[in-house]
Amino acid sequence: MAEGAPASKKPAIIRVKLEWCKGCEICVTFCPKNVLEMEGGKVKVARVEDCTKCMLCELRCPDFAITVE
Amino acid sequence: MFDYLPYIREWNFPHIWCSGCGDGIVLKALIRATDGLGIHRDEAVMVSGIGCSSRTPGYVDVNTLHTTHGRALAFATGVKHASPNLNVIVVTGDGDATAIGGNHYIHAARRNIDITVLLYNNYIYGMTGGQVSPTTRKGDRASTAPFGSIEPPFNISGLAKAAGASFVARGDVYNVKKLEKLIKLAIQKKGFSLLEILSPCPTAWGRRNKMGHPVQLMEWLRDSTVSMEKWEKMTDEEREGKIRTGVLHDVARPEFTDEYAKLVKRLKAEK
Amino acid sequence: MPVKISDKIRMMTGNEACAEGAIAAGCLFFGGYPITPSSEIAEYLSRRFPIIGGKFIQMEDEIGAMGSVIGAALTGMKAMTATSGPGFSLKQENIGYASMAEVPCVIIDVQRGGPSTGMPTLPAQMDVQQARWGTHGDRGVIALTASSAQETFEQTIHAFNLAERYMTPVVLLIDEITGHTTEKVTLPDYDSIERVDRKRPTEPPETYLPYKYTDDCIPTLAPFGTGYRYNVTGLCHNETGFPTNDPKEIERLILRLTEKIVKNRHEIINCKRTMLDDAEIAIFAYGSVARSARQAVLQLREEGIKAGLLEPTVLWPFPSEIVLKIAEQVDSFLVAEMNLGQMAREVELASKCKASIHRLNRVDGSPISPPQIVGKIKEVV
Ligand SMILES: Cc1ncc(C[n+]2csc(CCOP(=O)(O)OP(=O)(O)O)c2C)c(N)n1
Ligand code: SF4
Ligand code: SF4
Ligand code: SF4
């Protein structure tokens, strides 16, 4: 499983399942690198290049809506 | 990325919980924990009562049993006693487990029957719209305590320990990795394991208590939870308003189904 | 404890016969809570189960006891609980759950007088309507009764068979007299007992639907742990076992819960008949009262009064068609029961004014005696 795995050099792929995202902003607020933003009540990936793949957004999303690869 | 799909009943998604409800975060931690432990899905039985938290089993692809309000532990006791080889996990709310189900709660702990209980504490009756619960903090507002609760809350972890549970821990949905670790420990422990999970409810509790946004509740958890190690070093003054998380109690005690098996053996030998 | 008379014959109380009947039926789980006059059933099984591979547990209350029984039954075991009035009241919510989720199990109610704590050590038949309507919601109900230790033994086995056949909780109502009277019981060869086991799925898990609609209206619930992972809930659900809000699905489920019993009522209903063929007055009696009624019929016949006895051994579903037929033949019915007419209402309804209905009720904790029945009949003919 990916959690705790050392961040690899490959750029992150962040996927959002918009049908499941309920716009709680948890991922946005607690992203240490400010990668995510809210747009129209849903999450938007704004600065994917800053992502360190810490996985916190994926781990804390209550709705299985955001994944980081 | 962790692949949850093999473990969930995808057709029931998106789940019924409100935006920002912690229950979804617990569900994910639970799935990762059971995956990490390599628990066979056919041998896992997830039992719940009634409430928002008790809707969890509907989303997990194991044997699932959604029972009556407060009675999950009674049903689970029947499952475990009948088939001790099954891995029985109970998912319950603070009202479900410690108000209407309080009697089963203390007696399951007393028997120390090998059941893992994930008790989602959201300080309120979520499903029915925010009525006061046994864990509502004194002064907190609820739909049936519009002027603030005048009753002292239960210490539900302490209650389980006093009743005889062999494992008692507390986790929260902000500290997710720790939560996953605690779920693993609770499942691995033979005997009655109680894991109290702080999974606050933005809709019915937060809104009435100046924390209506899910983010505020997560911040509150971040700022008020402290690890056991830290707690030990704190003065009483510093502990004010803080909540300990981690393993609170872990002892070896005879387990119910083992004791029954021993009785059977003894009777055979006497024959 | 039962006294062994011969290989097959024991002297035992109705409660002991009930416990022995459970064992004979293949029951291996008992979850209970002590209450007079039923406790001997629990005591008997607490001695026997650890020896014969069964599981006994005394729960913290009757609600928990009923819950544990349902949990055990879902793992494939035949499971039972036993209680009396106050405990029967407490079990009702979970009995409704067993009806809704279609979990086979057996509930023994050794009736005492109520309401409330009432008469712990005295007999009554005050729970017969509670057995029908005690839990909330509409559903089909099977409730049996027995009038002797021998019959209690047999009816307990029958209760398990009906539960497994129709996937439903089955109630056996006896009363304090039957429960506590010691009498001769002839035990059959246990290998020769006909035992019904619930259907098992024949399809693979991928296509399995626990609550699939079938012609017989009866679902196939795989025991937990056998590779069929499904959901059990007390919420209205569809064929998959998951909750639904679809009005069509809801209606289909609720109708089916009643239909599966009503459609099969001719297989379930059973009545014993004593001298009814030419009767002009029919006694309707069940449980221990039926024993007095049998005596009364003999005496009345000796005196030239054409009395007969209809003795249902299944109270629910109610034998309406049989009662109507008899009503068309006799002048009147006498319904004798240890309550204030709980079954007389049903006889009245079923007989459609074809016969006059008289009542003999007793609620003082004393049994209804044969002379009482004889006297009442003489009064009304
Ligand atoms: C016997 C019974 N009483 C009351 C209810 C109504 N009810 C449903 S959920 C609930 C409270 C749930 O609160 P909690 O257990 O804390 O779970 P939460 O919804 O907060 O997760 C109540 C009172 C019920 N379903 N059954
Ligand atoms: S993985 Fe970490 S850094 Fe990347 S978006 Fe998620 S929270 Fe932000
Ligand atoms: S945490 Fe999940 S549900 Fe909440 S905003 Fe982010 S992606 Fe959407
Ligand atoms: S009411 Fe509260 S506990 Fe229930 S789903 Fe909504 S946020 Fe969660």
Side-chain angles (χ1 to χ4, degrees), chain C residues 281-326:
Chain C
I281 179 157
I283 304 168
F284 182 101
Y286 51 93
S288 62
V289 182
R291 296 176 75 149
S292 299
R294 271 176 242 148
Q295 292 278 320
V297 168
L298 293 180
Q299 194 180 326
L300 288 161
R301 285 279 171 169
E302 262 172 34
E303 295 180 33
I305 298 172
K306 286 190 170 170
L309 168 66
L310 181 69
E311 184 187 337
T313 59
V314 177
L315 293 174
W316 306 110
F318 187 78
S320 301
E321 284 123 325
I322 296 171
V323 167
L324 178 60
K325 244 197 173 143
I326 295 168

Side-chain angles (χ1 to χ4, degrees), chain C residues 330-376:
Chain C
V330 300
D331 301 326
S332 50
F333 260 111
L334 174 70
V335 185
E337 48 188 344
M338 291 186 283
N339 57 47
L340 289 180
Q342 293 193 17
M343 274 297 165
R345 297 162 51 104
E346 303 301 324
V347 176
E348 237 158 44
L349 260 175
S351 58
K352 298 190 174 158
C353 302
K354 297 284 197 299
S356 55
I357 312 296
H358 304 279
R359 298 166 178 227
L360 174 58
N361 306 116
R362 191 147 195 183
V363 291
D364 62 353
S366 317
I368 295 178
S369 66
Q372 238 187 318
I373 298 174
V374 171
K376 182 74 187 183

Side-chain angles (χ1 to χ4, degrees), chain A residues 16 20-27 38 43 61-63 65-66:
Chain A
V16 179
W20 288 9
C21 169
K22 291 179 186 153
C24 67
E25 291 184 49
I26 289 175
C27 59
M38 291 303 291
V43 70
C61 169
D63 286 276
I66 187 163

Side-chain angles (χ1 to χ4, degrees), chain A residues 22, chain B residues 15-24 51-53 120 122 124-130 199-206 217:
Chain A
K22 291 179 186 153
Chain B
H15 55 57
I16 58 156
W17 296 309
C18 307
S19 170
C21 174
D23 293 3
C52 296
S53 39
Y120 298 34
N122 61 5
I124 206 87
Y125 284 7
M127 177 145 274
T128 41
S199 173
C201 155
T203 307
W205 183 64
L217 287 170

Side-chain angles (χ1 to χ4, degrees), chain B residues 10 59 77 80 90 153 179 183 200 252 256:
Chain B
E10 202 185 343
Y59 302 114
T77 297
K80 187 71 191 180
V90 164
L179 175 62
I183 295 175
F256 175 78

